[in-house]
Amino acid sequence: MLESCQNAQERWGGVHQLIDRWLQERHELVRVYSSLSDKPQAPSANAEGLQRFCEVLLDYVSAGHFEVYEQLLNEAKAFGDQRGLDLAKQIYPRIEAITEVALAFNDRCDNGDCRDLCLTSELKNLGQLLHERFELEDCLIEVLHNAHQGQASQPA
């Protein structure tokens, strides 16, 4: 998961400051997730790490929904990119479903409902869903960026 995160940053780093910052947040999310899931003790035994993970998770999904996706859609509309808009229409429902799982995970942890047995399996499931989300986001960024890169560099 960390390798695919680094590859995305190499591909699109510098494309847009907003996306750069978001990819940095993704990298931090993966780092904190890995530090939680790689420990032999139950994740709840590392309450600080779990709290940090939830903070970064919320920041990441919020930035995606309230900043990055909106910007990508605005770009697609500005360039008349129907292919990008159609792709967004296909991808967003799945991203939203994964966001709901992430928010529910955070809410359970905030309420103190995280128990070791459930938490370990939920964390693993969430990691798989985040990996899927990263791939969907990368696809969306790649299609929109590649479609607009040539148009943006053409003289007016």
Side-chain angles (χ1 to χ4, degrees):
M1 191 163 47
L2 183 57
E3 185 178 311
S4 66
C5 175
Q6 289 169 334
N7 289 341
Q9 198 161 13
E10 288 170 11
R11 273 171 130 170
W12 301 300
V15 170
H16 200 254
Q17 190 175 16
L18 179 64
I19 293 173
D20 285 349
R21 187 186 69 211
W22 192 49
L23 291 175
Q24 282 291 345
E25 288 177 4
R26 180 195 289 184
H27 183 77
E28 177 66 6
L29 178 61
V30 170
R31 189 191 66 73
V32 175
Y33 173 84
S34 295
S35 73
L36 266 183
S37 61
D38 290 346
K39 294 191 178 184
Q41 82 250 20
S44 63
N46 182 3
E48 278 184 30
L50 185 58
Q51 181 180 357
R52 176 71 182 137
F53 173 71
C54 287
E55 290 169 1
V56 176
L57 178 65
L58 284 180
D59 288 347
Y60 182 79
V61 297
S62 295
H65 279 281
F66 299 115
E67 296 175 43
V68 178
Y69 301 156
E70 185 177 318
Q71 179 63 32
L72 290 173
L73 280 176
N74 288 340
E75 287 179 22
K77 289 174 186 172
F79 285 103
D81 181 5
Q82 192 57 48
R83 178 176 169 240
L85 293 170
D86 290 345
L87 179 67
K89 208 182 237 184
Q90 286 180 311
I91 288 178
Y92 283 160
R94 183 62 186 150
I95 290 175
E96 287 176 2
I98 294 170
T99 298
E100 291 302 318
V101 172
L103 295 175
F105 177 87
N106 178 72
D107 289 347
R108 278 192 298 284
C109 289
D110 274 354
N111 293 335
D113 292 340
C114 293
R115 294 185 185 84
D116 290 337
L117 293 175
C118 292
L119 182 61
T120 302
S121 64
E122 280 188 67
L123 197 57
K124 183 179 178 181
N125 181 53
L126 184 57
Q128 292 169 341
L129 290 173
L130 288 173
H131 181 74
E132 177 185 352
R133 179 187 172 119
F134 298 159
E135 289 178 349
L136 293 170
E137 292 167 345
D138 289 349
C139 178
L140 189 60
I141 292 168
E142 184 171 4
V143 167
L144 292 173
H145 171 61
N146 287 343
H148 306 150
Q149 186 176 23
Q151 292 172 333
S153 64
Q154 292 175 354

